[in-house]
Coordinates of all heavy atoms in Angstrom, one line a residue:
L862 N 103.4 -20.3 -70.1 CA 103.1 -21.7 -69.7 C 104.4 -22.4 -69.3 O 104.4 -23.1 -68.3 CB 102.4 -22.5 -70.8 CG 102.0 -23.9 -70.5 CD1 101.1 -24.0 -69.3 CD2 101.3 -24.5 -71.7
E865 N 105.5 -21.1 -66.0 CA 104.7 -21.6 -64.9 C 105.0 -23.1 -64.6 O 105.1 -23.5 -63.5 CB 103.2 -21.4 -65.3 CG 102.2 -21.8 -64.2 CD 102.3 -20.9 -63.0 OE1 102.7 -19.7 -63.1 OE2 102.1 -21.4 -61.9
A867 N 107.8 -24.5 -65.2 CA 109.2 -24.6 -64.5 C 109.0 -24.2 -63.0 O 109.7 -24.9 -62.2 CB 110.1 -23.6 -65.2
R868 N 108.2 -23.2 -62.7 CA 108.0 -22.9 -61.3 C 107.3 -24.0 -60.5 O 107.7 -24.3 -59.4 CB 107.1 -21.6 -61.2 CG 107.9 -20.3 -61.5 CD 107.1 -19.1 -61.1 NE 105.9 -18.9 -61.9 CZ 105.8 -18.2 -63.0 NH1 106.9 -17.7 -63.5 NH2 104.7 -18.1 -63.7
R872 N 108.8 -26.1 -57.4 CA 108.1 -26.3 -56.1 C 107.9 -27.8 -55.8 O 108.1 -28.1 -54.6 CB 106.7 -25.6 -56.2 CG 106.8 -24.1 -56.2 CD 105.5 -23.4 -56.3 NE 104.8 -23.6 -55.1 CZ 103.5 -23.3 -54.9 NH1 102.8 -22.8 -56.0 NH2 102.9 -23.4 -53.8
I873 N 107.7 -28.6 -56.8 CA 107.5 -30.0 -56.5 C 108.9 -30.6 -56.1 O 108.9 -31.4 -55.1 CB 107.0 -30.7 -57.8 CG1 105.5 -30.4 -58.0 CG2 107.2 -32.3 -57.6 CD1 105.0 -30.9 -59.3
D874 N 110.0 -30.2 -56.7 CA 111.3 -30.6 -56.3 C 111.6 -30.3 -54.8 O 112.1 -31.1 -54.0 CB 112.4 -30.1 -57.2 CG 112.4 -30.7 -58.6 OD1 111.8 -31.7 -58.8 OD2 113.0 -30.0 -59.5
R884 N 111.3 -37.4 -43.6 CA 111.3 -38.9 -43.3 C 112.5 -39.3 -42.6 O 112.5 -40.1 -41.7 CB 111.2 -39.6 -44.7 CG 109.8 -39.7 -45.2 CD 109.8 -40.7 -46.4 NE 108.5 -40.7 -47.0 CZ 108.2 -40.1 -48.2 NH1 109.1 -39.6 -48.9 NH2 106.9 -40.1 -48.6
R888 N 112.7 -40.9 -38.8 CA 113.4 -42.2 -38.5 C 114.3 -42.0 -37.3 O 114.3 -42.8 -36.4 CB 114.2 -42.7 -39.7 CG 113.4 -43.5 -40.7 CD 114.3 -44.2 -41.7 NE 115.1 -43.3 -42.5 CZ 114.7 -42.7 -43.6 NH1 113.5 -42.9 -44.1 NH2 115.5 -41.8 -44.2
T893 N 115.3 -42.6 -31.5 CA 115.6 -42.0 -30.2 C 114.5 -42.3 -29.2 O 114.9 -42.6 -28.0 CB 115.7 -40.4 -30.4 OG1 116.7 -40.2 -31.3 CG2 116.0 -39.8 -29.1
M898 N 112.8 -45.3 -24.4 CA 111.8 -46.2 -23.8 C 112.6 -47.4 -23.2 O 112.2 -47.9 -22.1 CB 110.8 -46.7 -24.8 CG 109.8 -45.6 -25.2 SD 108.7 -46.1 -26.5 CE 107.6 -47.1 -25.6
E900 N 115.7 -47.3 -22.1 CA 116.4 -46.8 -20.9 C 115.4 -46.6 -19.8 O 115.7 -46.9 -18.6 CB 117.0 -45.5 -21.3 CG 117.8 -44.9 -20.2 CD 118.5 -43.6 -20.5 OE1 118.4 -43.1 -21.7 OE2 119.0 -42.9 -19.6
S905 N 113.5 -48.1 -14.5 CA 112.4 -48.6 -13.7 C 112.8 -49.9 -13.0 O 112.5 -50.0 -11.8 CB 111.2 -48.8 -14.5 OG 110.1 -49.2 -13.8
K907 N 115.8 -50.9 -12.2 CA 116.8 -50.6 -11.2 C 116.2 -49.9 -10.0 O 116.6 -50.2 -8.9 CB 117.9 -49.6 -11.8 CG 118.9 -50.3 -12.7 CD 119.9 -49.4 -13.3 CE 120.9 -50.0 -14.2 NZ 121.9 -49.1 -14.7
M910 N 114.5 -52.6 -8.0 CA 115.5 -53.4 -7.2 C 116.1 -52.6 -6.0 O 116.2 -53.2 -4.9 CB 116.7 -53.8 -8.2 CG 116.4 -54.8 -9.2 SD 117.7 -55.2 -10.3 CE 119.0 -55.6 -9.2
A917 N 114.3 -54.3 2.4 CA 114.9 -55.4 3.1 C 115.8 -54.9 4.2 O 115.8 -55.5 5.3 CB 115.7 -56.3 2.1
I919 N 115.6 -52.0 5.8 CA 114.7 -51.5 6.9 C 114.1 -52.6 7.7 O 114.1 -52.5 9.0 CB 113.6 -50.6 6.2 CG1 114.2 -49.3 5.7 CG2 112.5 -50.3 7.3 CD1 113.2 -48.5 4.8
S920 N 113.7 -53.7 7.1 CA 113.2 -54.8 7.8 C 114.2 -55.4 8.8 O 113.9 -55.7 9.9 CB 112.7 -55.9 6.9 OG 111.5 -55.5 6.2
R921 N 115.5 -55.6 8.2 CA 116.5 -56.1 9.1 C 116.8 -55.2 10.3 O 117.0 -55.6 11.4 CB 117.8 -56.3 8.3 CG 117.7 -57.5 7.4 CD 119.1 -57.9 6.9 NE 119.8 -56.9 6.2 CZ 119.9 -56.7 4.9 NH1 119.4 -57.6 4.1 NH2 120.6 -55.7 4.3
S924 N 114.1 -55.5 12.8 CA 114.2 -56.8 13.6 C 115.4 -56.8 14.5 O 115.3 -57.4 15.6 CB 114.3 -58.0 12.6 OG 115.6 -58.0 11.9
H927 N 114.3 -55.2 17.8 CA 113.4 -56.0 18.6 C 114.1 -57.1 19.4 O 113.5 -57.8 20.1 CB 112.2 -56.6 17.8 CG 111.3 -55.5 17.3 ND1 110.5 -54.8 18.1 CD2 111.0 -55.1 16.0 CE1 109.8 -53.9 17.4 NE2 110.1 -54.1 16.1

Side-chain angles (χ1 to χ4, degrees):
L862 181 58
E865 186 64 30
R868 283 192 294 272
R872 290 179 69 191
I873 290 171
D874 289 343
R884 278 191 187 108
R888 276 191 298 274
T893 301
M898 290 176 73
E900 183 179 354
S905 179
K907 286 181 180 180
M910 287 176 56
I919 290 171
S920 292
R921 284 196 305 258
S924 69
H927 292 293

